[in-house]
């Protein structure tokens, strides 16, 4: 891909890609299936959407969260991230509370139910 040439990525690293013509794309489920086919036994896997933004220390935070699980090697962290307003992004005070996927509205064009993430209240105890 041209972005690799632009940024001079070393294609001999652990970075693997699959490129398909956009006309053959069939949605996020198939795309995630293709992405999972690239797994080669790495300790961690991160799947994100193209509109994600990262806060400083995101990787340490996620590893810490994973290690809080009863069986970290058998656990999956997942979320439906809160929205943000580009180009501002979340900044250094990014929200870290979990989210719940909730119904939002019916689309005027196709009548499809749209959903969004709602921030969970902090739970203590």
């Amino acid at each position: 891909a041209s972005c690799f040439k632009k940024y001079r990525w070393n294609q001999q690293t652990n970075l693997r890609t699959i490129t398909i013509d956009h006309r053959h794309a069939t949605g996020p489920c198939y795309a995630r299936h293709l992405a999972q086919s690239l797994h080669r036994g790495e300790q961690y896997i991160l799947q994100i959407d193209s509109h994600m933004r990262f806060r400083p220390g995101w990787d340490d935070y996620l590893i810490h969260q994973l290690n809080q699980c009863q069986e970290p090697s058998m656990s999956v962290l997942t979320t439906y991230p809160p929205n943000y307003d580009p180009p501002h992004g979340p900044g250094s005070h990014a929200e870290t509370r979990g989210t719940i996927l909730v119904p939002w509205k019916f689309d005027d064009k196709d009548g499809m139910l749209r959903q969004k993430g709602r921030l969970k209240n902090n739970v203590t105890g």
Side-chain angles (χ1 to χ4, degrees):
S2 62
C3 64
F4 298 125
K5 294 175 186 171
K6 179 179 179 183
Y7 295 107
R8 299 182 186 165
W9 287 71
N10 178 355
Q11 294 187 14
Q12 301 302 314
T13 67
N14 288 333
L15 177 67
R16 291 180 294 278
T17 63
I18 295 174
T19 304
I20 62 171
D21 188 292
H22 71 279
R23 294 169 292 199
H24 299 120
T26 58
C29 292
Y30 182 61
R32 289 184 180 112
H33 163 74
L34 291 175
Q36 289 171 351
S37 75
L38 298 174
H39 181 254
R40 298 293 182 264
E42 291 85 0
Q43 184 173 2
Y44 302 109
I45 300 169
L46 177 65
Q47 285 191 1
I48 60 169
D49 291 332
S50 61
H51 55 84
M52 298 297 298
R53 296 293 183 266
F54 294 92
R55 69 181 185 129
W58 65 269
D59 49 349
D60 292 329
Y61 174 78
L62 290 178
I63 291 169
H64 174 75
Q65 292 296 308
L66 186 63
N67 288 330
Q68 299 302 304
C69 297
Q70 189 171 9
E71 293 188 55
S73 66
M74 300 295 291
S75 301
V76 174
L77 300 179
T78 184
T79 188
Y80 195 89
N83 201 6
Y84 70 97
D85 182 21
H88 309 293
S92 61
H93 300 289
E95 184 61 65
T96 59
R97 287 179 289 166
T99 56
I100 301 169
L101 190 60
V102 296
W104 178 36
K105 66 178 182 177
F106 286 96
D107 192 294
D108 292 335
K109 295 178 187 174
D110 58 18
M112 181 176 249
L113 177 63
R114 301 298 175 188
Q115 301 181 59
K116 66 179 180 177
R118 184 186 80 202
L119 292 170
K120 291 177 60 174
N121 294 328
N122 282 334
V123 178
T124 59

